[in-house]
Amino acid sequence: MNRILLETINKKNTSRPPVWFMRQAGRILPSYRELKQKHHFYYMMKDKDLATEVTLLPINDLKVDAAILFSDILVIPDAMGLKLDFTSNGPKFSNALKTTGNNIIKYDSSKLNYVYDNIKTIKNKNNDIPLIGFCGGPLTTFLFMFRAKENNKSFKDAIKFFYSNRKESIKILEQITEASIDYAKNQVLSGIEVFQLFETYCGAIPHKLYEELILPFSKKILNTVKEMNCPNIFFPKDYSLGLKSINSDICDFVSIDWHMSLNNARYLVDDSVGIQGNMDPRILYYDLDKIEKYLQSCVEFGSNNYDWIFNLGHGFIPDIDYKKAQFVVEWIKKTNWNR
Ligand code: CP3
């Protein structure tokens, strides 16, 4: 097995940083686009053979050091009865949470069995590369659960509900956390090697409020996999100076968004926690010379920090040229990182 990601997470010294990309399965790959012309995204995610194929496409096409399960963070609210629909304009729930309150939620764990079958199929097909499982952070999941219309992209209603119905909000967050724990546990039992928690909308509330009210839930989900010997990565996007509250009681690695420099992130985050990130995905709009300059600017950090996973500061943008992502991976692999 390509062990560079696991060795880095386990704080072993390697000759270069491992590399994978958020949203590498889907989005930018021509091979994915071809499949998408024939099948709906939701169908591909549920179908064992297609989900396996798409999960493994970036291994062939980009030569990254890890695969991430082809699925979505919104399968949890779907299993909680919200009825997920992926329209061409984005996801929505026909049974979205009501801002009038008194929401009744029932999690049906069996609705996620297909994910566990997919993980087993992927591991059977290719055991040469570590597989990353994931779920959404509690706040991000909560915010999406109010989305009844695909064109309603702001979380205004959900945030208003969070401020005005605090008690019910916390109850819903508890239910999301319980479902996520069950989901994460079953992913580990099915064979994932690493788990990432995507708290993409961490920055929707002040970081102090996140730390007090939501972080204990995120920690519970992350600790669940950790107790099962599966290392974890936490992606609290836009957490900014809140990163100061991240330590190894919470996660093994923290994924940094593109707002902050790697050195500032390293300064803020406790030494016991490794760093993942954080190339601004828009750098991939540059030409290759400028991309190479950016990569060169990372070498000093990479030579001093063994506990670093190269990744983006947020997922690929759909219109990025995948050849530039290939270039990044090749460059990382051939460069002398002065280690
Ligand atoms: O990293 C990977 O490629 C693995 C698969 C993955 C998907 N979504 C597939 C997907 C992962 C890890 C996600 C996470 C996800 N989903 C997040 C958190 C990370 C992030 O980038 O912010 C969020 C907020 C979602 C919710 C979601 N799913 C939205 C808002 C949309 C529509 C717009 C879009 O493309 O992001 C989706 C659909 C979705 N999830 C697609 C894919 C490949 C696009 C479907 C298509 O091809 O039409």
Side-chain angles (χ1 to χ4, degrees):
M1 164 152 358
N2 173 343
R3 298 198 62 85
I4 192 161
L5 177 73
L6 298 171
E7 281 165 2
T8 298
I9 292 182
N10 289 316
K11 307 281 165 78
K12 302 244 163 65
N13 292 357
T14 57
S15 60
R16 62 165 175 91
V19 50
W20 69 279
F21 300 108
M22 288 193 269
R23 311 301 292 269
Q24 68 185 19
R27 283 203 167 169
I28 67 161
L29 296 181
S31 49
Y32 170 74
R33 296 223 180 103
E34 222 171 276
L35 284 172
K36 238 205 103 187
Q37 290 199 329
K38 287 188 253 160
H39 313 280
H40 189 265
F41 164 67
Y42 207 17
Y43 175 77
M44 283 199 272
M45 199 174 86
K46 289 198 166 176
D47 181 88
K48 209 187 292 188
D49 298 323
L50 285 166
T52 300
E53 187 178 348
V54 178
T55 300
L56 297 172
L57 287 177
I59 308 308
N60 274 325
D61 295 357
L62 302 176
K63 308 276 188 285
V64 281
D65 294 313
I68 179 160
L69 177 69
F70 185 65
S71 181
D72 196 84
I73 65 164
L74 301 180
V75 300
I76 286 273
D78 190 49
M80 293 170 96
L82 270 65
K83 294 207 170 87
L84 174 60
D85 182 15
F86 280 104
T87 75
S88 52
N89 273 324
K92 68 164 187 177
F93 294 102
S94 39
N95 244 345
L97 293 185
K98 308 252 177 318
T99 49
T100 45
N102 295 318
N103 287 289
I104 295 166
I105 296 169
K106 202 169 168 348
Y107 170 59
D108 177 357
S109 62
S110 70
K111 276 189 154 179
L112 295 167
N113 285 345
Y114 73 93
V115 179
Y116 315 134
D117 283 345
N118 291 356
I119 292 173
K120 287 175 200 154
T121 311
I122 296 163
K123 289 311 306 174
N124 273 334
K125 178 112 196 242
N126 183 336
N127 200 27
D128 296 336
I129 202 87
L131 179 63
I132 303 170
F134 67 92
C135 83
L139 180 61
T140 303
T141 307
F142 173 87
L143 295 177
F144 270 103
M145 284 167 80
F146 288 84
R147 185 177 284 178
K149 293 202 179 93
E150 64 272 34
N151 54 4
N152 182 5
K153 299 239 190 301
S154 92
F155 295 117
K156 256 188 356 219
D157 293 345
I159 295 278
K160 182 175 169 189
F161 187 86
F162 179 72
Y163 278 83
S164 47
N165 295 48
R166 187 55 54 84
K167 212 167 151 204
E168 188 177 340
S169 296
I170 296 294
K171 194 170 153 230
I172 296 167
L173 283 157
E174 273 166 9
Q175 288 171 299
I176 294 169
T177 304
E178 260 172 50
S180 304
I181 286 174
D182 177 65
Y183 184 49
K185 218 184 250 177
N186 279 305
Q187 288 188 49
V188 178
L189 291 174
S190 307
I192 60 160
E193 275 100 357
V194 178
F195 177 85
Q196 175 156 320
L197 193 69
F198 283 91
E199 191 65 293
T200 308
Y201 293 92
C202 191
I205 60 174
H207 48 81
K208 203 72 203 143
L209 201 55
Y210 188 88
E211 187 182 336
E212 279 167 23
L213 294 183
I214 318 278
L215 192 60
F217 293 128
S218 306
K219 182 177 163 183
K220 256 185 153 173
I221 303 167
L222 290 159
N223 283 357
T224 300
V225 301
K226 175 105 180 174
E227 281 158 17
M228 297 171 80
N229 289 323
C230 173
N232 60 39
I233 305 171
F234 182 33
F235 178 43
K237 186 166 181 288
D238 298 332
Y239 199 28
S240 162
L241 298 182
L243 288 171
K244 242 182 140 23
S245 59
I246 301 295
N247 58 45
S248 56
D249 288 342
I250 295 166
C251 58
D252 297 311
F253 269 62
V254 63
S255 203
I256 307 297
D257 65 72
W258 46 262
H259 278 105
M260 191 175 282
S261 72
L262 286 173
N263 280 320
N264 281 347
R266 183 65 285 170
Y267 173 73
L268 284 170
V269 174
D270 192 83
D271 280 348
S272 57
V273 175
I275 300 272
Q276 175 174 271
N278 70 343
M279 178 179 189
D280 177 354
R282 293 159 303 187
I283 288 177
L284 293 162
Y285 289 137
Y286 289 166
D287 58 31
L288 294 185
D289 280 355
K290 263 178 110 175
I291 294 175
E292 185 164 16
K293 279 210 178 77
Y294 166 77
L295 293 168
Q296 257 151 3
S297 77
C298 296
V299 171
E300 194 182 333
F301 185 84
S303 89
N304 294 325
N305 294 278
Y306 288 86
D307 53 351
W308 173 47
I309 302 165
F310 189 97
N311 204 318
L312 301 171
H314 193 189
F316 281 130
I317 304 161
D319 64 355
I320 277 169
D321 177 1
Y322 82 106
K323 293 205 183 78
K324 293 183 176 171
Q326 275 179 336
F327 173 82
V328 170
V329 176
E330 276 166 27
W331 197 93
I332 288 171
K333 289 187 174 176
K334 72 171 191 214
T335 291
N336 176 358
W337 288 86
N338 303 325
R339 290 183 164 181

